[in-house]
Every structure is written in structure tokens, then in C-alpha cells.
Amino acid sequence: MTRARGVARRAYVDVPWGQVHYRHGGDADAPVLLILHQSPLSSATYDAVIEPLARRGLRVIAPDTPGFGMSDAPPRPWSIPEYAAGVWQFADALGLSRVHLLGQHTGAIVGAEALMSAPERVHRLILQGIPLYDEQERAEKKRSYAPGYVPDRDGGHLKVIWDRVYGLYPRLTPEEADRQVTEYLLTGPDYATAYRAVFDHHVDTAALDALPIVLLHGADDLLDRMTPQVRAALPGAELVTIPGGTDFVADEQPEAFADAVAARVHADLGREVAA
């Protein structure tokens, strides 16, 4: 895992609510893969895999979600449909007409809504772990999942964030956890704005299953526990798991992740040409 700065090329683009920071790589005329990260992190999650994906013939664009990483926040908390509309405003600002979408966790929920709102703009959506909560878990998470932190002069809030990160991901190295703490600090004490949008949103899985979907994640991703529910809700989706990979399989196994993603993108393009 890289630190927040990373090694990929970075840029900003103006959008109606401010500026969006993004990482990118690959040739300008290559097929576009637009990556939507999980909360409350940033596009740094995918920094290590941008170059491997570019070597496989893709143009990769990974924005920081509005209000996260180094992107400006929207003027008020957004709903999932508003985050999805923001995806297309960002794409329009870069002149992207049609893309392959990859979304992880919160990014998967946003990506699903973006696909359903503009299916003509998406070749295929790759879901890297999509949370389909039942009502009991949804209510519990709304009550307690991301309580925020209070900045303290003695720095105690840094330990609060550190403990949360390690509570979720005990396999991280200290260097990897350090990057995530930085991302929490960039977002601010209330880092749960996108989480709340997810907990308030219900995915129309029947409509989503009629669209081009792939399920692709590390076998040890936190949301792999939901694979039975997700497969039942989206029976038309192909399932691909990368052995040994966690939520951060793109960092841990960038070549394997790039192989799996690029294979699906190029297969889709081949089918479209044949049709």
C-alpha cells in the first residue's frame, strides 16, 4: 500500500461544487476504467494498480469522492443518487462519454446507482464488494458504525482513528495504517457522511441484475461474507475472487488484480465489436 501521495499521476478538475482530485494513467485513447473507492478513504487505495492496468491497455481514472481525500466537499451531505450524479458531472468535465466502472463498498453502491441512472454510458460495472444490508444491520450501522472523533489537544483522537483502522483491518502494516489515518484526517471528524448515504439507500437489485455486472473482490474482503446474499440478488453477475486478497487486494496483488479487471474490460469490448 502506498502513502496518500502515491506514485501515479494526479490532477484536479473543476466541477459545479468545487474541485475533484483524481489519479490517472494510461493512453488518452485507451478504454476508460473509472474507479470509485470505498469510504472514508481515497483514490490512494488504487495508486499501486494504476500503472499495471495502464500496461494492460486501459486508461485509468480514479477520483477522490467529493468530501474525501483531496476533493472538495459538496455544499451539504449528499444522497447516493446525488453522488451518482456527481460521477457523471466529473466524467463530463473530463470529456468521458462511456466508461467501464469499478466501485468498491461505498463506491459500489454509488457505481450501481450511476449505472442505473445512465446505462448507456457504462460498458460494464465491476463491483468490488457491495453491501446489501438487511434492515436489522442497516439500523444498527446507522446507530453505531462510524461515530466520528473529537480533535483533542493531546492527540488522543489519533489513537481513536488508529484503533478503528486496526479493528477493521488487523492485517495492515503500520505504514499502511498510517496512510489510512491520514485519509480520515483529510475527511475530518465526521467521516461518516457517505456511510449515512449508503445506510439510507436501497439498491434496486432487480433492475441492477438486468445490467452488465461483474462481482470481483479479494477472497478475504470484509464484504465477502455477503457473497451469498449478493449472488442471490444478482444471479446474472459473474463472480471472481482473488485468493488471499483483502479489501486492499489492488495494493496487495496489483498484477493479479489488473489481470482480472483488464480481462473483463477487454472481453466486453470484444463482444461489443462482434455484435
Side-chain angles (χ1 to χ4, degrees):
M1 215 176 286
T2 60
R3 291 182 179 270
R5 184 179 296 112
V7 298
R9 295 165 63 195
R10 292 173 288 129
Y12 285 90
V13 65
D14 292 329
V15 290
W17 65 90
Q19 289 188 307
V20 170
H21 171 262
Y22 65 100
R23 298 164 200 269
H24 62 106
D27 294 337
D29 58 352
V32 176
L33 176 68
L34 180 58
I35 300 178
L36 309 176
H37 63 81
Q38 67 166 307
S39 299
L41 305 181
S42 75
S43 60
T45 300
Y46 292 92
D47 188 84
V49 81
I50 289 177
E51 192 276 333
L53 286 165
R55 280 194 276 106
R56 288 160 175 81
L58 303 183
R59 179 186 177 192
V60 185
I61 298 175
D64 292 349
T65 299
F68 297 86
M70 291 180 281
S71 288
D72 289 344
R76 55 176 174 73
W78 274 359
S79 65
I80 292 300
E82 288 172 313
Y83 279 113
V87 169
W88 296 127
Q89 288 175 310
F90 169 75
D92 289 343
L94 292 182
L96 308 177
S97 58
R98 197 171 182 211
V99 302
H100 300 264
L101 268 179
L102 187 155
Q104 183 185 23
H105 297 200
T106 302
I109 296 290
V110 174
E113 186 66 22
L115 169 59
M116 288 189 287
S117 68
E120 74 284 356
R121 299 191 67 169
V122 183
H123 294 278
R124 184 171 295 272
L125 171 62
I126 300 173
L127 298 172
Q128 191 185 341
I130 183 166
L132 298 181
Y133 300 119
D134 62 27
E135 291 308 311
Q136 180 178 350
E137 185 170 6
R138 186 186 300 274
E140 177 58 32
K141 286 188 175 295
K142 286 176 72 172
R143 282 194 299 269
S144 63
Y145 183 67
Y149 61 87
V150 177
D152 198 329
R153 183 166 181 157
D154 69 2
H157 60 294
L158 300 177
K159 182 68 161 54
V160 170
I161 302 169
W162 188 267
D163 289 347
R164 175 180 171 80
V165 167
Y166 263 112
L168 289 170
Y169 307 117
R171 286 166 50 175
L172 294 177
T173 66
E175 292 77 15
E176 292 165 347
D178 186 60
R179 192 212 78 204
Q180 292 198 23
V181 170
T182 300
E183 290 170 301
Y184 273 73
L185 293 171
L186 282 169
T187 300
D190 181 13
Y191 55 83
T193 50
Y195 285 142
R196 288 194 292 271
V198 168
F199 303 151
D200 285 337
H201 184 73
H202 290 75
V203 178
D204 184 347
T205 53
L208 186 61
D209 191 49
L211 298 170
I213 303 290
V214 173
L215 310 174
L216 191 159
H217 58 264
D220 297 332
D221 190 294
L222 288 182
L223 288 184
D224 183 63
R225 69 181 176 87
M226 289 194 166
T227 295
Q229 299 99 294
V230 173
R231 296 205 76 185
L234 302 172
E238 176 190 11
L239 173 64
V240 181
T241 56
I242 300 176
T246 72
D247 298 44
F248 307 106
V249 63
D251 273 318
E252 299 158 345
Q253 302 181 49
E255 298 297 331
F257 186 82
D259 278 342
V261 171
R264 272 76 202 168
V265 170
H266 290 305
D268 287 341
L269 294 175
R271 281 191 290 269
E272 290 177 7
V273 169

